[in-house]
Amino acid sequence: MSALNLKKGATSHSAYDLRDPHLEHRETHTLAVLVDNEAGVLARVIGLFAGRGYNIDSLTVAEVDHEGHLSRITVVTRGTPAVIEQIKAQLGRLVPVHKVNDLTVEGPSVERELSLFKVAGTGDKRVEALRLADIFRANVVDSTLESFVFEITGTPEKIDAFADLMRPLGLIDVARTGVAALSRGT
Amino acid sequence: MVVEALKDQGVEVVFGYPGGAVLPIYDEVFQQNDIRHILVRHEQGAVHMAEGYARSTGKPGVVLVTSGPGATNAVTGLTDALMDSIPLVVLTGQVPTFMIGTDGFQEADTVGITRPCTKHNWLVKETDALASTLHQAFHVATSGRPGPVLIDIPKDVQFANGTYVPPNAAKVSHYQPKVKGDAAAVEALVELMEKAQRPIFYTGGGVINSGPEASALLRKLAAATGFPVTSTLMGLGAYPASGKNWIGMLGMHGLYEANLAMHGCDLMINVGARFDDRITGRIADFSPKSKKAHIDIDPSSINKVIHVDVPIVGDVGNVLADVLKLWEARGSKVNKAGLAKWWGQIEQWKLKKCLNYNNSSKVIKPQYALERLEALTKDRDRYITTEVGQHQMWAAQYLTFEDPNRWMTSGGLGTMGYGLPASIGVQVAHPDALVINVAGEASWLMNMQEMGTAVQFRAPVKQFILNNERLGMVRQWQQLLHGERYSQSWSEALPDFVKLAEAFGCKGIRCQDPKDLDDAIMEMLDYDGPVIFDCLVEKHENCYPMIPSGKPHNEMLLGDAGVEDAIGAKGAVLV
Ligand SMILES: Cc1ncc(C[n+]2csc(CCOP(=O)(O)OP(=O)(O)O)c2C)c(N)n1
Ligand SMILES: [Mg+2]
């Protein structure tokens, strides 16, 4: 798939987009899953989604508690309310899973994603790219005479918007981390 | 160390098959006498034996096989156990840690292959972690919703010396499923029970998995409330077939009265069942007028298929005790008038006598064979296993079960080849009991090599083969759904089962005349050793009642009349 087609979330090109034949009302939820940081745990989670035909829009994972051997998987998924409930229940019964939090329903939360954009161009396009990057508070982390690499952090929507603007200006590559999310307050 | 851990977990029997990658463990097995090893003929057989052992005892079954082909041969059994929630601990050998990933001889990515067909699995890379992983494995297999677990042990880990920790010193697992039901939900259920006019207990394998106490409580609750009880294939025996409130098995080949009661009830109390598609038929028309409560230890079973009004997550035995206590404390109230009318209706449905069939004096009808088997064995200490097909459904319909753990069948996966090894596993656990595998000839051939195991270990299992020389269930579907085009559903070139028995060194009996049947069955029962009974039955008998796929409960086929066009094109795509 060409990078220029990248939009937030799975499209019909994605292996994980097994469209719901009923086309019922579908919601996007961000789930935070606390797991034992043991071999194969990510495969287990991904296998669950693939095996049962659930969507993964984005997924991030990293160790968050070295002493406790715990990792946090943040997964953005879509489905009807019943499917979302099933996904949570299915995750919850995996043996290495400690906790499943649905950040979308459990009060306000913040979501951030980091991404890198490579934009190639000269002349006006190059100037315009730099100007827009400034407006979006994107940093230049690499530059050559013909290209920039921008680093931008924000909500997935903000990054989508930035991608839309960069596309006509010579966007040639994108790397996105996927969403990291936390609930607000204590 | 492995054998020590098994001993400490109370393991008495291991079903297994050796190979290069498990030789160190086999060496340990050789040098001790506490744990019995049953040498199988194929690793699939080992897993089904362990399933039979587990289901008939309530204890986890243990399997030991080698890497690569040993492990892959175990996959069907693991999947079967996962679908039917059977606790198993399967140990596989693996190439040494330093060879993992090199495509070494008999290397397979066992944890990768078995990840979706186990409840959990582990690859143990350090000897020091071995003992605690083994203990953890038993904990996971047996707590919450039971299931199979697998531990993959590289050969160098088996050889190395590590520190052993006994079960009580092993790290406590954070995996502690909730067993106690929510009090508010229990109260909501009791309130519904007090008012219900047309209640029904829809019980499943969860009652049996929960233990004998759960079955006892179900009986108490049914007797106290007077509510009718039906059960899934997996739950047979939790409530006795002779019980006053028993209305028979439900589902695709369930009884007319049971399915209509499910369709017409106003309160459905699901106790440890999972709204499987064999039970629900067309979802949109499933029991349209009822409030539904669901008791299940697995939260993911709730609202998976059918939306329920009162979900209760907890262990069946635990929750039933709470329900009974609260219902009694609130005055043991039921809607007497409603209930009397409801039973009147059920009695009406029973008059259909849906299990009636046209008997014959010339050929043995499979139903008749099972009726005679039932009559001649029901007062014995009897365990039944089955293969998969028509014979399995007839066995469920015509045999009766008074107690839990006496009926072993492959429900969720429908694995042909399950019954023979399972019967051996049961017999190993209950050496003095009568263990019968009700089989179809085609299924039986799938794991017939295990007859050697039965003979070697003197397991006097009785293989009661209802031989219709057909893949009967397939033939039935082709008749009903595929214009009578019987594609590949003949059992051609069958062996002579009597000679086969002789070749294995056991007894063979053939019967084809209804007049000889009783004597032949008695001969089988009286023989002190394994028997292969070749019961030649009517070849084209269909199994009824039948709810065709995609139809609701109240559109049941009761006999050969009017089956044409019974199943629409939409139903035909369903399995
Ligand atoms: C391993 C496996 N393969 C295929 C099937 C599909 N299948 C279900 S029943 C059946 C026929 C079984 O024939 P038999 O054992 O003779 O029993 P009958 O129906 O004739 O009583 C088949 C092929 C299955 N359930 N399991
Ligand atoms: Mg057959």
Side-chain angles (χ1 to χ4, degrees), chain A residues 47-70:
Chain A
L48 170 70
F49 276 77
R52 293 189 185 260
Y54 305 142
N55 292 293
I56 296 178
D57 280 2
S58 101
L59 183 134
T60 62
V61 54
E63 189 173 69
V64 290
D65 175 358
H66 187 68
E67 302 283 279
H69 285 293
L70 294 177

Side-chain angles (χ1 to χ4, degrees), chain B residues 441-462:
Chain B
E441 82 294 338
S443 298
W444 194 83
L445 291 177
M446 283 210 174
N447 272 325
M448 68 167 191
Q449 74 284 351
E450 298 307 332
M451 222 43 216
T453 310
V455 172
Q456 180 185 346
F457 292 93
R458 298 176 199 287
V461 290
K462 314 298 182 201

Side-chain angles (χ1 to χ4, degrees), chain B residues 387-392 394 413-416 439-444 446 466 468 470-474 491:
Chain B
E387 303 286 348
V388 171
Q390 291 179 316
H391 62 277
Q392 175 190 29
W394 282 315
L413 196 62
T415 311
M416 292 170 69
E441 82 294 338
S443 298
W444 194 83
M446 283 210 174
L466 295 175
N468 52 11
R470 299 288 181 278
L471 312 185
M473 192 57 99
V474 173
S491 289

Side-chain angles (χ1 to χ4, degrees), chain B residues 280-422:
Chain B
T280 58
R282 181 159 64 208
I283 300 279
D285 296 308
F286 176 67
S287 193
K289 293 186 212 98
S290 60
K291 286 249 186 258
K292 298 174 185 75
H294 187 177
I295 305 169
D296 202 305
I297 196 151
D298 178 1
S300 77
S301 282
I302 287 172
N303 290 330
K304 180 171 64 179
V305 184
I306 298 287
H307 174 80
V308 296
D309 306 279
V310 184
I312 307 179
V313 176
D315 168 60
V316 164
N318 215 295
V319 174
L320 286 183
D322 287 350
V323 169
L324 185 64
K325 207 155 83 204
L326 185 68
W327 179 75
E328 282 173 346
R330 287 170 52 117
S332 304
K333 288 179 285 213
V334 291
N335 182 333
K336 280 218 178 75
L339 212 50
K341 231 173 112 192
W342 180 224
W343 272 109
Q345 171 70 73
I346 291 172
E347 294 305 330
Q348 212 56 41
W349 287 327
K350 282 188 184 175
L351 293 179
K352 266 270 194 237
K353 303 237 176 277
C354 67
L355 291 184
N356 277 1
Y357 61 96
N358 290 327
N359 209 352
S360 157
S361 58
K362 294 200 189 66
V363 331
I364 301 176
K365 289 288 185 119
Q367 301 95 323
Y368 177 71
L370 287 166
E371 277 181 347
R372 294 318 302 154
L373 186 71
E374 167 73 3
L376 296 171
T377 62
K378 80 166 186 233
D379 296 327
R380 304 201 182 199
D381 179 16
R382 181 188 78 177
Y383 293 81
I384 301 284
T385 68
T386 77
E387 303 286 348
V388 171
Q390 291 179 316
H391 62 277
Q392 175 190 29
M393 293 298 114
W394 282 315
Q397 292 171 338
Y398 291 90
L399 302 180
T400 61
F401 300 94
E402 295 298 312
D403 292 302
N405 306 100
R406 299 237 163 207
W407 163 248
M408 279 41 66
T409 194
S410 171
L413 196 62
T415 311
M416 292 170 69
Y418 166 90
L420 164 53

Side-chain angles (χ1 to χ4, degrees), chain B residues 174-316:
Chain B
H174 79 266
Y175 180 76
Q176 304 289 350
K178 179 168 177 270
V179 292
K180 189 148 177 64
D182 175 53
V186 168
E187 187 170 348
L189 170 58
V190 169
E191 272 174 28
L192 289 173
M193 286 167 60
E194 290 169 346
K195 294 199 209 90
Q197 307 194 15
R198 301 184 308 279
I200 187 167
F201 284 114
Y202 150 43
T203 65
V207 186
I208 291 171
N209 279 337
S210 176
E213 186 60 16
S215 291
L217 279 160
L218 173 68
R219 291 159 191 227
K220 250 192 187 155
L221 194 60
T225 56
F227 293 179
V229 183
T230 181
S231 163
T232 66
L233 183 72
M234 295 306 293
L236 295 176
Y239 186 83
S242 62
K244 229 177 90 214
N245 303 20
W246 179 240
I247 61 169
M249 179 178 80
L250 81 162
M252 184 174 265
H253 292 289
L255 268 58
Y256 182 76
E257 48 270 33
N259 283 328
L260 285 198
M262 285 288 279
H263 190 78
C265 66
D266 72 347
L267 173 62
M268 179 184 297
I269 308 168
N270 174 338
V271 191
R274 60 182 177 91
F275 295 111
D276 177 79
D277 55 79
R278 305 287 97 163
I279 299 304
T280 58
R282 181 159 64 208
I283 300 279
D285 296 308
F286 176 67
S287 193
K289 293 186 212 98
S290 60
K291 286 249 186 258
K292 298 174 185 75
H294 187 177
I295 305 169
D296 202 305
I297 196 151
D298 178 1
S300 77
S301 282
I302 287 172
N303 290 330
K304 180 171 64 179
V305 184
I306 298 287
H307 174 80
V308 296
D309 306 279
V310 184
I312 307 179
V313 176
D315 168 60
V316 164

Side-chain angles (χ1 to χ4, degrees), chain A residues 34-131:
Chain A
L34 200 64
V35 299
D36 284 325
N37 186 15
E38 61 180 32
V41 64
L42 187 59
R44 232 173 267 284
V45 169
I46 292 173
L48 170 70
F49 276 77
R52 293 189 185 260
Y54 305 142
N55 292 293
I56 296 178
D57 280 2
S58 101
L59 183 134
T60 62
V61 54
E63 189 173 69
V64 290
D65 175 358
H66 187 68
E67 302 283 279
H69 285 293
L70 294 177
S71 286
R72 185 177 166 108
I73 297 176
T74 307
V75 50
V76 181
T77 183
R78 265 175 311 141
T80 62
V83 167
I84 300 281
E85 285 310 308
Q86 252 309 290
I87 292 174
K88 288 190 266 182
Q90 291 289 353
L91 284 170
R93 78 187 187 129
L94 294 179
V95 172
V97 168
H98 289 245
K99 221 164 73 181
V100 180
N101 284 99
D102 185 342
L103 298 178
T104 306
V105 299
E106 293 172 13
S109 61
V110 284
E111 290 192 359
R112 287 293 180 272
E113 189 175 351
L114 183 141
S115 48
L116 299 173
F117 286 73
K118 186 178 285 180
V119 181
T122 50
D124 286 353
K125 285 196 174 168
R126 187 171 160 85
V127 175
E128 180 64 2
L130 203 56
R131 197 182 65 85

Side-chain angles (χ1 to χ4, degrees), chain B residues 20-41:
Chain B
V22 276
L23 287 180
I25 301 177
Y26 269 90
D27 212 25
E28 281 187 70
V29 168
F30 187 81
Q31 299 175 45
Q32 55 85 46
N33 281 318
D34 297 317
I35 295 180
R36 202 169 161 217
H37 181 274
I38 305 288
L39 177 68
V40 302
R41 301 298 184 264

